[in-house]
């Protein structure tokens, strides 16, 4: 008897139809911030702020130690949402609304994110796509809110997204590209 072909599941985010207003997604695992993360992000983005890079300077400031770059915190928060919400289903980020950093982040803090669907609507100008607005929240290991942001994004509807994905050439299976190990 012939074996049935194995069913395959591709990891992806949500299609427009799968987003539900009022649903909160908890993004896990958390991410512990290291000194290397902060220094690398800060220098890659050409930010010379001594609050992020100079321990002696930062020690004499109100928080008494180096602060993690707030844009690293925002980027981590949004990044934590990708696998669960937008991996392969996002057309584009449309923009961020209010962004706030109500409490500082320090190296050694572990950040966990959550995203709540605030609204969604089909795009009037882009058939097969819809606009979804999220409210993002980042908390540290003690549950203290360290960042909030609203974000609007354009996502594929299921039918249009699957059609778009099917139009791309499939990647070669191992060994099919003529290369040996």
């Amino acid at each position: 008897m012939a074996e049935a072909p194995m069913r395959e599941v591709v990891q992806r985010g949500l299609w427009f139809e799968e987003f539900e207003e009022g649903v909160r997604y908890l993004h896990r695992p958390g991410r512990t911030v290291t000194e290397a993360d902060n220094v690398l992000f800060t220098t890659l983005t050409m930010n010379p702020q001594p609050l992020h890079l100079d321990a002696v300077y930062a020690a004499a400031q109100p928080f008494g130690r180096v602060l993690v770059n707030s844009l690293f915190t925002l980027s981590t928060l949004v990044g934590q949402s990708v696998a669960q919400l937008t991996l392969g289903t996002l057309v584009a980020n449309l923009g961020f609304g209010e962004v706030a950093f109500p409490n500082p982040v320090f190296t050694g803090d572990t950040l966990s994110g959550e995203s709540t669907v605030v609204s969604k609507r089909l795009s009037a100008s882009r058939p097969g796509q819809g606009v979804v607005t999220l409210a993002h929240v980042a908390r540290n290991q003690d549950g203290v809110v360290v960042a909030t942001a609203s974000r609007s994004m354009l996502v594929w509807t299921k039918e249009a997204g699957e059609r778009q994905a099917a139009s791309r050439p499939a990647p070669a299976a191992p060994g099919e590209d003529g290369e040996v190990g």
Side-chain angles (χ1 to χ4, degrees):
M1 177 162 74
E3 288 186 37
M6 182 180 295
R7 190 170 89 96
E8 294 179 333
V9 177
V10 175
Q11 183 177 353
R12 65 164 172 83
L14 303 178
W15 300 118
F16 173 79
E17 297 86 349
E18 295 173 306
F19 283 96
E20 295 179 49
E21 290 182 15
V23 173
R24 181 173 54 189
Y25 296 90
L26 305 178
H27 311 304
R28 303 296 185 267
R31 171 71 158 75
T32 301
V33 181
T34 67
E35 182 180 13
D37 295 328
N38 188 48
V39 169
L40 182 60
F41 185 89
T42 300
T43 56
L44 281 173
T45 57
M46 297 180 67
N47 181 343
Q49 177 54 253
L51 284 171
H52 306 313
L53 299 170
D54 184 332
V56 173
Y57 174 85
Q61 300 306 306
F63 291 104
R65 58 184 164 152
V66 169
L67 295 173
V68 170
N69 187 312
S70 57
L71 292 180
F72 176 85
T73 302
L74 178 63
S75 295
T76 301
L77 171 57
V78 172
Q80 286 178 324
S81 74
V82 170
Q84 193 172 19
L85 299 180
T86 62
L87 184 67
T89 59
L90 180 77
V91 177
N93 276 319
L94 298 176
F96 288 86
E98 288 190 38
V99 175
F101 304 101
N103 291 289
V105 174
F106 303 106
T107 58
D109 283 350
T110 298
L111 304 178
S112 295
E114 58 189 59
S115 302
T116 301
V117 180
V118 175
S119 65
K120 68 180 233 181
R121 66 173 175 79
L122 287 170
S123 172
S125 61
R126 299 182 64 101
Q129 299 171 8
V131 177
V132 177
T133 301
L134 300 174
H136 293 294
V137 177
R139 299 177 191 277
N140 69 14
Q141 65 281 355
D142 299 318
V144 174
V145 174
V146 295
T148 59
S150 65
R151 175 170 68 130
S152 294
M153 56 193 187
L154 198 60
V155 296
W156 290 106
T157 61
K158 182 177 182 186
E159 180 183 343
E162 287 178 342
R163 186 173 53 246
Q164 187 268 345
S167 69
R168 289 190 307 254
E176 288 184 7
D177 59 4
E179 295 289 321
V180 177

